[in-house]
Amino acid sequence: MFISSKNRIRAAALAGLSTFALGAALGVAARAEDQPSPEPAPLPAPAEDEVTEVVVFAPLRDSQLAALREQRNADNLVNVIASDTVGRFPDQNSAAALSRLPAVAVQRDQGQERYIQVRGAPNRWTSVSFDGVPVIGVDEGGSGRAFRFDAVPAVILQSLAVNKSLTPDLPAEAVVAQIDLRTYSPMNRKGFDVQGELGAGQMELGGGEQRQGSLRGAWSNGAFGVMAAVSHYQREQVTDNREFSYDANGISSFDARNYLLVRENNGASLGFEWRPAEGHELFLKWVSSEFKDDEERNHYTFQLANALSGTRTATGGDLVGVPVRSTAEFGEYRTKNELTTLGGEHGFNDGWSLSWRANVAKMTNTTYLPLVLQNQQLNRLLRPSISYRVDDPNFPIISLYKTVNGATSGTYARGDALTTLDQSAFDFNIGLPIISNIKADSWTARFDVTRDTGNWVYKAGYQHDHREIEGNTINQPTVLLTQLLGIGSADDLKASNYVTGRNWDTGFPLGINLKYIDNKRLRTDFEARLNTLQAAGKYNPATIIDPSSLYDITENLGAAYGMAKYMWEGGQVVFGARVEHMKQRITGFTKSGTTVTPLVVDNDYTDLFPSLNARFDLSDKLVLRGAVQRGIARPSFGAIRSGASINDTATPGTISGGNPHLEPEYTWGLDSSLEYYLSNDSVVSAGVFYRKVDNVLYDSKTKITNDAYDANGIDRTGYDFTSTLNGDNGKLYGLELNYQQTFSALPSPFDGLGFSGNVALLDGEFDTVARKGVPFPGTSKTIVNTSVSYEKYGVSARLSYQWRDDWADTLGGLGLGAGGDEYRKAYGNLDLTLRYAATRHITLFADASNLTDETYIAFEGDERHPSEVEQIGRRFLAGLRFNF
């Protein structure tokens, strides 16, 4: 049964707010009988030899205490999640872990968390660093700058911090947040420390296996420490999928898709730290993480609008001769991050200190999709006739019939009923070897000098980033490998040769059964045919990438800053400014017909980014914060590529491609929060924020007004230009409510209860020349995260629920007309984690994820027009964790 979006939004929002209110009420009741609170802020720092890392058998309360200590004493607005808190959720990657924090939502790919969206903002408005060193992302398809968190296993991290306001020592490239991923330090404890995890489980849909394992070992004598860690996670997954297109008569085509995939995340980390003298520390860290996805696509498109005859309405249709297209593929997706950081911390006399970092980062993303498309082009009698009902717009139910010759010559009619689709009834093949390779190499050097004089702390520094990015966006290859190019023969790649006897593993109704294709064998044969064509001189893999999709970008970013912090008994203020100078060289190719012309564009600009963060300790427990800042978001690599495809024969001429003249998005932001620390491990807070954004980026069409694309004596002024453009102003604002408490004052056994809940209420829009009040892609107006926990007698249990309401995903129409906008429907995820400390060194665990068996839905305009419906099923995992 499917509940309407409006009712689900209302129900989930009320549930989240009710749970939030219930938790707050319990907190008030618990505090009424509580003993005097622990030492007031600033919270005490641990002694040098105190264990600051939480091991697997420690209470969740200790992990929360460490995170809240940092949040309470921070110079800016920040939310922190510590390692053991991550370990008590079924969070396989860092995106899933971050989604537990206030106002953080995730974007999923086939059910797996991939990108994060802080405060409902586009993911390009959030920057990322590893151990304080900024990194850039390379995105699947070659167009993005956004960082992919699914490539970073959560288990290699010690903590994760979301900086929601900036200080001058943080990069300015963050409109709503800067995220710092922190790896483990071997100096957390003296002696040997070994921790690990082994787990196995099953995916409900398809019965595929899950497995995960990690191992971390560390040793330290207080002066020298070494650490090594590895992690592995893999799951065999089935993804159910339906996709739709529409015209005035209803559904014009719909896809029945089923994916078989093996997803894998691997991570490794090494760390060395040395304290040669009091106040001095040197370290070397290496981190490697990768995401691997091997995907078999089974895909049939029913092209209803191209039927030979018949009728279609919004509720169903009766059609004769409907062409069906098959898309088969065994593809590979790879993302890898590798970072090496050398650094030091040095304290001197008279309050002087020096911090420095040198980092090398290598990011790669590769996509290889050897698609084979099979069509019913020549023999119309191969096409089935179809009747279908749309009782549920997400799941059309079809009945199949033979297509036979009609009563008169050249006509066709519906014949006998069929029980299944003839998956071998295709007479025209197209091969598409789609390739994308992106590589980003970065070198970063930075140093910071600090002088602490007591009430005043002064800090200044410089950072230089050199980046080299090259690759291509995903486009159709320059050749279509068809029968005309030699693939066709008596032993052609016919679908009948690869249809298996195995039915799809699916929970989606369709009305007919479909069999899986042996995609792996099909790929092997397809690649053998490519080799044959290459030997005959009919195929060259080096030239199949369209030159207009290629880019080569060099960036040199220099940043200097100065800041001061003034402290008094009742608070502090941090203020200063950061200056950043960016130099870019963008190299690509324009293509007009068969003429390819290189195009180089240089960008050079300098910006000033002032900021101020104030904290007022209104009492021992009550903290008021305020912040103002200026930030920047730079366009993605694919958006600023200079490559373009030109059509000089159209009237007017057209150009589509990148836009190297894009301006960055600039923002002025305001933040304020009120935090009440019930105890050292409990807090209730409310915060508001506002962001005004200039030059908002969006995809649209305009006119060429300069000579950038003139070549060979052709004046292209006035051509239609389809690309990413700068819009007018935008605004994003919201309210964040957060409550977190352990109820240790309740009578036993209820003193093991804990609650964590946060609600974000968001809104925002921007303007373009053609349209006003455009929604920001990714902005849900309500985001809810809640969890109830219990920890006592060696048991740790946590039931967690996440929910976000509808959000715009893709803005449609070249002129940004509202009719083509695609939205994602509200959904929630319910997860359960159980831990039992069998001994001091062994903990058993069981995780159950996506207990609501959520269906992820996208729609155009309203829910009666779904564009995508997807489901992956529940996931179960069990195993043990150990520490010595």
Side-chain angles (χ1 to χ4, degrees), residues 583-602:
K583 293 185 67 174
Q584 285 179 324
R585 168 153 287 200
I586 306 168
T587 303
F589 301 91
T590 61
K591 181 181 178 183
S592 177
T594 59
T595 302
V596 177
T597 305
L599 178 62
V600 179
V601 176
D602 291 309

Side-chain angles (χ1 to χ4, degrees), residues 322-538:
V322 175
V324 180
R325 183 179 67 230
S326 166
T327 304
E329 161 232 307
F330 177 46
E332 297 177 358
Y333 302 86
R334 303 287 187 267
T335 299
K336 186 170 184 179
N337 307 317
E338 186 172 330
L339 303 97
T340 304
T341 305
L342 177 66
E345 305 285 343
H346 308 279
F348 304 99
N349 294 330
D350 299 325
W352 287 95
S353 62
L354 170 68
S355 174
W356 59 275
R357 303 284 189 273
N359 172 270
V360 177
K362 297 183 178 296
M363 312 289 188
T364 59
N365 182 286
T366 60
T367 302
Y368 176 45
L369 304 178
L371 298 177
V372 175
L373 279 65
Q374 305 190 84
N375 296 269
Q376 297 162 335
Q377 295 278 356
L378 306 177
N379 184 356
R380 295 185 172 185
L381 295 178
L382 292 177
R383 303 179 181 183
S385 294
I386 294 178
S387 65
Y388 66 96
R389 308 188 320 272
V390 191
D391 302 330
D392 182 339
N394 298 317
F395 302 111
I397 303 300
I398 66 175
S399 300
L400 298 180
Y401 305 86
K402 289 183 179 180
T403 298
V404 298
N405 288 312
T408 60
S409 177
T411 64
Y412 300 89
R414 189 170 78 180
D416 296 336
L418 298 172
T419 58
T420 187
L421 178 70
D422 185 354
Q423 293 175 251
S424 64
F426 301 95
D427 58 6
F428 192 82
N429 293 350
I430 299 175
L432 296 175
I434 297 175
I435 298 172
S436 174
N437 294 301
I438 309 103
K439 180 178 69 172
D441 293 337
S442 302
W443 296 264
T444 299
R446 64 172 290 180
F447 70 87
D448 306 270
V449 178
T450 304
R451 175 74 191 286
D452 188 344
T453 65
N455 284 17
W456 284 92
V457 178
Y458 304 96
K459 189 175 182 181
Y462 179 79
Q463 177 176 315
H464 185 83
D465 294 273
H466 176 78
R467 305 165 181 166
E468 297 178 359
I469 308 100
E470 61 180 30
N472 68 285
T473 59
I474 283 188
N475 274 318
Q476 182 171 292
T478 56
V479 295
L480 301 181
L481 304 174
T482 66
Q483 293 162 317
L484 302 178
L485 293 176
I487 291 183
S489 64
D491 61 343
D492 193 11
L493 302 177
K494 294 184 173 66
S496 56
N497 296 331
Y498 302 95
V499 178
T500 71
R502 177 187 169 191
N503 288 329
W504 281 11
D505 290 311
T506 177
F508 283 178
L510 181 61
I512 61 172
N513 291 323
L514 294 169
K515 306 289 186 181
Y516 281 113
I517 297 293
D518 188 347
N519 284 288
K520 294 181 179 179
R521 185 164 63 90
L522 176 59
R523 169 174 159 173
T524 298
D525 293 347
F526 179 40
E527 290 177 332
R529 199 62 53 84
L530 293 180
N531 293 335
T532 301
L533 290 172
Q534 184 176 0
K538 296 182 178 180

Side-chain angles (χ1 to χ4, degrees), residues 110 203 205-208 235-241 257-263 292-299 329-333 500 502-506 514-520 871-872:
Q110 298 194 49
M203 307 290 295
L205 181 59
R235 72 189 192 199
E236 299 176 8
Q237 176 177 317
V238 173
T239 302
D240 257 342
N241 183 278
R257 303 189 185 197
N258 191 276
Y259 299 91
L260 300 176
L261 55 120
V262 177
R263 285 206 161 162
K292 299 171 66 176
D293 192 356
D294 294 334
E295 177 186 276
E296 293 188 61
R297 180 190 299 191
N298 293 267
H299 173 188
E329 161 232 307
F330 177 46
E332 297 177 358
Y333 302 86
T500 71
R502 177 187 169 191
N503 288 329
W504 281 11
D505 290 311
T506 177
L514 294 169
K515 306 289 186 181
Y516 281 113
I517 297 293
D518 188 347
N519 284 288
K520 294 181 179 179
Q871 190 173 44
I872 67 166

Side-chain angles (χ1 to χ4, degrees), residues 855-870:
T855 300
Y856 306 104
I857 298 174
F859 58 88
E860 293 182 7
D862 58 59
E863 294 179 34
R864 294 172 300 174
H865 299 89
S867 55
E868 182 179 16
V869 180
E870 189 170 85

Side-chain angles (χ1 to χ4, degrees), residues 215-275:
L215 179 65
R216 189 185 79 244
W219 175 85
S220 170
N221 63 5
F224 180 79
V226 60
M227 182 276 297
V230 294
S231 70
H232 169 75
Y233 172 82
Q234 180 177 296
R235 72 189 192 199
E236 299 176 8
Q237 176 177 317
V238 173
T239 302
D240 257 342
N241 183 278
R242 298 285 187 270
E243 297 193 13
F244 303 83
S245 297
Y246 300 89
D247 61 18
N249 295 316
I251 299 174
S252 59
S253 72
F254 77 92
D255 296 358
R257 303 189 185 197
N258 191 276
Y259 299 91
L260 300 176
L261 55 120
V262 177
R263 285 206 161 162
E264 185 175 332
N265 293 82
N266 298 305
S269 179
L270 288 172
F272 302 91
E273 296 188 27
W274 179 38
R275 295 175 179 171

Side-chain angles (χ1 to χ4, degrees), residues 529-605:
R529 199 62 53 84
L530 293 180
N531 293 335
T532 301
L533 290 172
Q534 184 176 0
K538 296 182 178 180
Y539 170 70
N540 183 356
T543 61
I544 65 170
I545 297 177
D546 192 315
S548 67
S549 71
L550 294 167
Y551 57 81
D552 190 336
I553 301 171
T554 300
E555 295 184 340
N556 282 286
L557 178 63
Y561 75 89
M563 59 184 285
K565 176 167 67 172
Y566 176 68
M567 298 172 287
W568 65 94
E569 184 176 352
Q572 66 176 45
V573 60
V574 180
F575 59 94
R578 185 180 185 92
V579 178
E580 293 190 352
H581 177 69
M582 169 64 84
K583 293 185 67 174
Q584 285 179 324
R585 168 153 287 200
I586 306 168
T587 303
F589 301 91
T590 61
K591 181 181 178 183
S592 177
T594 59
T595 302
V596 177
T597 305
L599 178 62
V600 179
V601 176
D602 291 309
N603 293 321
D604 191 327
Y605 55 91

